[in-house]
Structures are given as C-alpha cells and as structure tokens.
Amino acid sequence: MVGRMEDKSKSGLSDPPPRLCDRYRLVERIGEGSMGMIYRAYDETLSRDVAIKFLLPERIASEETGSRFLREARAVARLSHPNIMTLYDVGREGEWRYLVLEHVPGRDLHALMLDRGGPLPVREAMHAIGGALEALAYAHERGIIHRDIKPENIMLTAEGQVTVTDFGLALARGDVRLTREGMIVGTVLYLAPEVISGAAPDRRADLYAVGAVLYELLTGQPPFPGDDPLVVFSQVLHAPLTTPRTLDADIPPEVERFVLKLLAKDPEDRYASAREALDALDALAGGPQGLRMTPQPGYR
C-alpha cells in the first residue's frame, strides 16, 4: 500500500540527543515516518510522560522555514480541545528541531485495523470519525487546517477517547507529498482531488480526507488503493468511486451516503464545514440504529 513503506534513508542519521533542554529525558523510540521520529520521553520538571517528535533537519533547512514553522506551532499551541493532541513546547537541539506533545497511550487507526485484520464495526468507525470531526470543527473555526488527516494521525485509547495528532506539522510538511529518494507519504491515499490538481488545501480538503479514512475503516481499503502514486492520483481525479456497499452490503445506506458526500470530487458538493458534517453524523447517531457510540473499555 502506498505510504506504508519504511524510509530506509533515515538509518544513516545520528540519533537525537538523549536529554533536551535539561528537562526532557528520552525513554524509547515509538515511531518514525517521512517527517522524522517520535519518542516517548519523561518531563522531569513536571513529572509526566510526553511524546517528542523530532523533525528531519532537511525538512526545516532554512531559517525562513524554521521561522514559519515556529509561527504555526504557536498557533497550534493555542488549540485546547479533548480530541486534539496538545502541543506543549517546541525547541531546537543542534540540528534537531522538535515538538513536545501530549503522550496519548493508545493505538492509531491504521495499527488498530492491522490488529483487527480488517474493517471496524460501523458504530466504532463512526465514533472515531465523530471525534476527528469534533477536532476539525474546533480547529477550522480558529483558522487552522490539518492538511494530513489519515488513519495514522487519529488515535484511540482503550476507553474510546479519540485524539487527532500532527496538527503542528502542517506547514513543515508543505503541500508536496513526494519525499526524498522517491518515497511516498501515506497521505497520497487521502489527498483531495483539488489538492492533487495544485490547489491549496482548505477545510474541505480535510473533509475529503476524513471521508477517505472512514471509507477505509468500513471497507478495509482506501477509496483508491494502489502502489503507484501516479495511478492513485489519476484515479482520485477521474475514476468513479467503488461505493462502500459494493464492498460490504452490511454497511447501512445512510452511512454510505454520508461517506460519498465527504468524498465528492468537487469540493462544492461536500459538506460545507466540519461542523455541518458533524451535525449530519449526529443525525445518523440519533436514528434507529444509533450509528455513533462510545466503545466500552477494552473494546480493542
């Protein structure tokens, strides 16, 4: 699948320093991707676990880019919402720039699907997407676009709490999803058609990505799967979408309509805002099937 490959080029990098700002002690590496690597760390000043995301030095190579990144990080740090991973701090240690984030003891949706070996039940999928829409509605109303909604950036705890991650990397990432040495970020599977065509991402592009994630949660595959990014791009732009109920007839028709509206190729045909999409989802939840729920502890 596009974007799930390990980026071997990072293996030659030196490791980040084990202690930062005489405060944060690195404990263990818990992930890595096209932007850098993430560690669980311990904040010795406040006696709490945190997550520290290190950005690859070449991602913020110039002072101008670094300044722009810091401005966006300041904006993201003002976001305070239960469905958004909190950004506590930013810093620089030698060549490494880093973000200090809330540590969320959960699993991202991609890992959860791998654990399950396939799609999630409809109500759990709708619960996860509802939390993501809550986060986006709050952020969009404050002028912040995520730009990289995908299963890896939506986390669930065992109690069912939904947390959207990586708001703080939108600017550093830029709009180009081709990484060095031909590696492809998983984002291409969730990019809106207008972004592929060169338009700047806006809140409706975030909504398309939410629809793509929900499609995958319900069917077990992205809307336009493939290993060749150019083929994926072409399909997103031109190919008709295989409807979710074609892949699984047990998906309720009203859920399919919700997904298809999010995935409309023309952004004008999507929900006008995350708040409007959330209202539509909540209307489904109030229906006879109760299609949005809070999973019970241990539901994974």
Side-chain angles (χ1 to χ4, degrees):
M1 181 182 294
V2 174
R4 310 302 190 193
M5 298 178 290
E6 180 184 357
D7 189 343
K8 300 296 185 182
S9 64
K10 292 196 294 299
S11 60
L13 283 177
S14 60
D15 290 331
R19 189 178 175 87
L20 306 169
C21 198
D22 199 28
R23 173 176 180 175
Y24 304 112
R25 174 171 49 83
L26 302 191
V27 177
E28 62 175 336
R29 185 185 296 192
I30 56 177
E32 61 182 279
S34 63
M35 288 299 301
M37 58 195 74
I38 186 165
Y39 282 74
R40 181 171 66 87
Y42 188 70
D43 180 346
E44 295 177 339
T45 299
L46 295 179
S47 301
R48 65 180 177 183
D49 286 335
V50 295
I52 296 186
K53 180 160 286 190
F54 291 93
L55 307 182
L56 293 175
E58 59 266 35
R59 289 294 185 181
I60 308 183
S62 69
E63 288 302 317
E64 178 185 0
T65 304
S67 296
R68 291 170 62 203
F69 168 73
L70 183 57
R71 287 198 300 272
E72 178 154 324
R74 286 171 176 159
V76 171
R78 292 197 293 268
L79 296 178
S80 179
H81 190 275
N83 296 115
I84 295 176
M85 178 179 279
T86 302
L87 174 61
Y88 294 138
D89 196 6
V90 295
R92 183 173 187 174
E93 194 82 23
E95 63 178 350
W96 293 99
R97 294 181 187 265
Y98 60 88
L99 303 101
V100 182
L101 300 151
E102 172 188 6
H103 179 258
V104 178
R107 301 281 283 166
D108 67 64
L109 293 181
H110 176 60
L112 184 58
M113 290 184 67
L114 289 178
D115 289 347
R116 292 284 187 85
L120 302 187
V122 171
R123 293 171 69 201
E124 291 183 15
M126 298 297 275
H127 168 74
I129 291 304
L133 286 171
E134 294 273 10
L136 290 175
Y138 174 86
H140 289 176
E141 288 161 5
R142 286 154 181 79
I144 295 179
I145 309 301
H146 190 286
R147 298 185 180 95
D148 196 16
I149 292 292
K150 57 186 176 182
E152 292 90 337
N153 285 341
I154 303 173
M155 297 190 67
L156 283 171
T157 68
E159 294 74 29
Q161 174 66 28
V162 181
T163 304
V164 177
T165 71
D166 266 12
F167 271 96
L169 293 184
L171 178 65
R173 195 183 294 107
D175 294 333
V176 177
R177 298 316 201 258
L178 293 178
T179 71
R180 42 190 208 297
E181 297 186 6
M183 297 301 294
I184 307 300
V185 181
T187 309
V188 298
L189 297 167
Y190 313 97
L191 274 182
E194 67 273 17
V195 178
I196 292 173
S197 296
D202 65 9
R203 60 189 186 181
R204 294 170 302 180
D206 274 355
L207 294 182
Y208 179 93
V210 166
V213 171
L214 179 54
Y215 184 104
E216 185 171 354
L217 295 180
L218 294 170
T219 67
Q221 65 180 50
F224 299 100
D227 294 322
D228 184 336
L230 297 180
V231 171
V232 173
F233 288 158
S234 178
Q235 290 178 339
V236 171
L237 289 171
H238 307 296
L241 179 66
T242 300
T243 60
R245 283 171 52 81
T246 300
L247 299 173
D248 183 353
D250 289 334
I251 295 171
E254 60 270 34
V255 171
E256 179 176 82
R257 288 193 292 270
F258 179 73
V259 176
L260 294 180
K261 188 170 180 67
L262 288 168
L263 288 174
K265 291 188 188 295
D266 185 341
E268 296 295 330
D269 293 332
R270 296 175 208 147
Y271 294 102
S273 66
R275 187 70 62 191
E276 183 180 300
L278 188 59
D279 289 343
L281 187 152
D282 285 339
L284 292 178
Q289 298 192 54
L291 293 172
R292 185 181 175 192
M293 71 162 194
T294 301
Q296 297 300 310
Y299 77 99
R300 291 184 301 166

